[in-house]
Amino acid sequence: MTRIDVHSRRNGLQCPLHPQQLLSWVLFFLQTGLLYTFLVMLYPVTASPFIAIFGFGAQLSLFYFAFVVTRHNPEDPLTTGKFEEYARENNLSMEGKQELLSNTMWCKFCEHDVLKGSKHCRSCNKCVIGFDHHCNWLNNCVGKTNYPIFRKLM
């Protein structure tokens, strides 16, 4: 099956959504609702505002990092045509660019040259640079470009 035959997912918000991803959304909003319905009411009135603010901040940061990781496209820059942008973000010199481009591999699924260390994700149908795993909870691949944000989420 080639890349032309099957649509590749750009990020985790594209359909089809994974059932675990939908479950994570339900659990997130359920947890938020429970936090403000029960937990805040159990503490004394003087501590309640601080707990509410802390809980809101924690939930907001969790939502933010999950959204950023899910929205990010960790695809190999050679397959997207964004190698120059990738080189700029990683402060690569001309020699560094040439070294990366001289060590490419051929992906038989994408039918494209990819950077060494990239791996094809069958769930997303794309090559991901520094592929770690495909996360069903986020419905997105975790790789070199979004791993730092993923660690903050965990």
Side-chain angles (χ1 to χ4, degrees):
M1 196 175 298
T2 63
R3 187 180 182 107
I4 298 165
D5 298 330
V6 177
H7 174 72
S8 65
R9 183 182 295 124
R10 285 190 310 273
N11 59 51
L13 297 174
Q14 272 190 308
C15 291
L17 300 177
H18 195 276
Q20 281 180 304
Q21 182 184 25
L22 297 173
L23 178 63
S24 72
W25 293 353
V26 169
L27 291 176
F28 173 79
F29 290 112
L30 183 65
Q31 176 187 355
T32 304
L34 289 174
L35 174 74
Y36 290 104
T37 305
F38 298 108
L39 188 61
V40 174
M41 288 184 200
L42 293 176
Y43 285 93
V45 176
T46 55
S48 200
F50 298 110
I51 293 169
I53 290 169
F54 178 77
F56 180 73
Q59 290 295 100
L60 190 62
S61 65
L62 178 70
F63 179 77
Y64 171 76
F65 288 125
F67 179 77
V68 170
V69 172
T70 304
R71 183 85 177 104
H72 183 74
N73 183 5
E75 190 168 2
D76 187 289
L78 291 181
T79 60
T80 59
K82 296 183 179 179
F83 181 72
E84 288 300 322
E85 184 180 317
Y86 173 78
R88 235 185 350 270
E89 289 173 359
N90 290 286
N91 298 322
L92 294 177
S93 64
M94 186 59 84
E95 294 81 23
K97 288 186 208 178
Q98 290 172 348
E99 184 180 333
L100 272 180
L101 291 174
S102 66
N103 290 324
T104 59
M105 303 179 310
W106 180 258
C107 176
K108 65 181 179 182
F109 300 105
C110 292
E111 296 182 349
H112 206 286
D113 282 325
V114 294
L115 295 175
K116 191 172 186 178
S118 293
K119 184 176 180 258
H120 192 84
C121 174
R122 293 182 186 196
S123 298
C124 292
N125 193 37
K126 64 182 175 187
C127 280
V128 176
I129 186 166
F131 183 85
D132 186 58
H133 69 283
H134 179 86
C135 181
N136 291 333
W137 296 101
L138 299 170
N139 199 29
N140 202 5
C141 295
V142 177
K144 180 181 176 183
T145 58
N146 64 350
Y147 199 76
I149 304 164
F150 181 76
R151 277 197 317 249
K152 290 176 185 174
L153 173 65
M154 294 293 109

